[in-house]
Amino acid sequence: MDADERELLEQTLRKTMTGTSGTGLDTALADLGWTQMLAEEPDTAVPLVFRLLGETGAHASVLNDVVLRETGGPPGRTPALPYTGGLWVEWVRDGDAGDRPLDPGLPLRRVAEGGPVPLAGGRRALGWWLLGTGRTMLALARRHVLDRQQFGRPLASFQALRHRLAETHVALEGAEAALTAAGDDDTSPLLAKAAAGRAALTAARHCQQALGGIGFTAEHELHLHVKRALVLDGLLGSARDLTREAGTLLLREGRTPRLVEL
């Protein structure tokens, strides 16, 4: 896929995700050839699709497809996925998670403990989703501080807010670098997902501070992205849990990964 084809695909996907979500988006992605893209060009399809899910606030059951591809199992199933705190969940394909979903915005349903599944591909995918979510929160906060004034000055002129948003930008850039460098081993996707989760949570904290009370209101979309970041961070291991797991791996192996692996 050359640069022009990729740009056209990104425009099409963004337009589709802006207009639909859930099972409707599953159908739309299938029509656009998601399964074929995942099989033939996963290094292009996964970062693009999952990043755009984060940027648009849409959701689809594509994480199931990424995990199933790595297991070599038949497509269309709904694998049990580990969640932080020792829980297991399913990403329900038909969108019906029952009366008490883990999060009202996502069709996640608690299930009994599942079997072992490979996590590297899913962690990379979720990392790109978290990155897209974080970038959207940063864009919302940036627009707010540029447009609003306090004491006769734009909010963007206050150094404390500038520092918070700069810290968010640096965290997101670092997470993107880690995701881009992540390979097919177990360690680098673990570190990349931890970095992305930490960056998204940093964005949630600092961008909420920048927007103040308006960020909590139902009329503003920031709260949706904050909740999405909190839930996705816990799926396949939270940033805190993965950091501990990485430390355990380093102690066991007795070596530090190369810089590119970090």
Side-chain angles (χ1 to χ4, degrees):
M1 185 180 299
D2 60 30
D4 290 339
E5 291 173 330
R6 188 183 185 284
E7 182 178 358
L8 179 60
L9 176 60
E10 180 170 352
Q11 292 174 357
T12 302
L13 287 170
R14 187 183 296 277
K15 182 178 180 180
T16 301
M17 292 179 186
T18 301
T20 187
S21 189
T23 55
L25 183 54
D26 284 335
T27 301
L29 289 174
D31 293 341
L32 289 171
W34 157 250
T35 302
Q36 183 178 359
M37 286 190 291
L38 181 61
E40 297 178 359
E41 298 190 66
D43 292 339
T44 297
V46 170
L48 181 58
V49 168
F50 282 84
R51 175 175 58 80
L52 288 175
L53 285 173
E55 292 181 3
T56 60
H59 69 83
S61 62
V62 285
L63 180 63
N64 290 334
D65 302 321
V66 172
V67 173
L68 289 172
R69 174 179 176 272
E70 199 168 7
T71 63
R77 295 190 299 111
T78 305
L81 305 170
Y83 198 87
T84 188
L87 303 177
W88 288 79
V89 299
E90 285 181 344
W91 195 296
V92 183
R93 288 188 182 270
D94 62 9
D96 182 12
D99 295 332
R100 298 179 63 83
L102 188 67
D103 175 66
L106 294 174
L108 288 172
R109 177 175 59 198
R110 291 188 185 184
V111 295
E113 183 174 348
V117 292
L119 301 176
R123 283 173 172 167
R124 281 196 302 269
L126 284 172
W128 286 106
W129 198 335
L130 285 160
L131 179 69
T133 299
R135 290 205 182 283
T136 295
M137 288 189 281
L138 180 58
L140 291 170
R142 179 179 179 274
R143 188 183 313 142
H144 178 79
V145 299
L146 287 172
D147 292 344
R148 296 292 292 269
Q149 293 195 355
Q150 191 170 15
F151 307 117
R153 297 166 53 192
L155 286 177
S157 67
F158 291 94
Q159 192 175 53
L161 285 177
R162 293 167 68 93
H163 284 176
R164 288 181 183 275
L165 298 187
E167 182 181 339
T168 299
H169 175 72
V170 170
L172 291 170
E173 288 293 307
E176 182 171 3
L179 287 164
T180 301
D184 295 328
D185 60 299
D186 290 331
T187 304
S188 59
L190 180 154
L191 294 169
K193 205 268 183 177
R198 191 176 301 110
L201 296 179
T202 298
R205 185 172 63 254
H206 290 339
C207 295
Q208 179 64 73
Q209 182 79 17
L211 269 80
I214 194 173
F216 288 102
T217 64
E219 289 75 13
H220 198 283
E221 64 177 290
L222 179 73
H223 73 101
L224 299 173
H225 294 284
V226 170
K227 288 187 285 188
R228 185 63 47 84
L230 291 170
V231 173
L232 293 180
D233 174 60
L235 192 54
L236 306 191
S238 67
R240 178 176 295 182
D241 291 343
L242 294 180
T243 300
R244 291 197 189 100
E245 187 176 339
T248 301
L249 288 172
L250 296 180
L251 289 173
R252 187 175 66 208
E253 296 177 7
R255 69 178 186 87
T256 303
R258 293 174 300 168
L259 181 60
V260 70
E261 294 174 345
L262 297 174

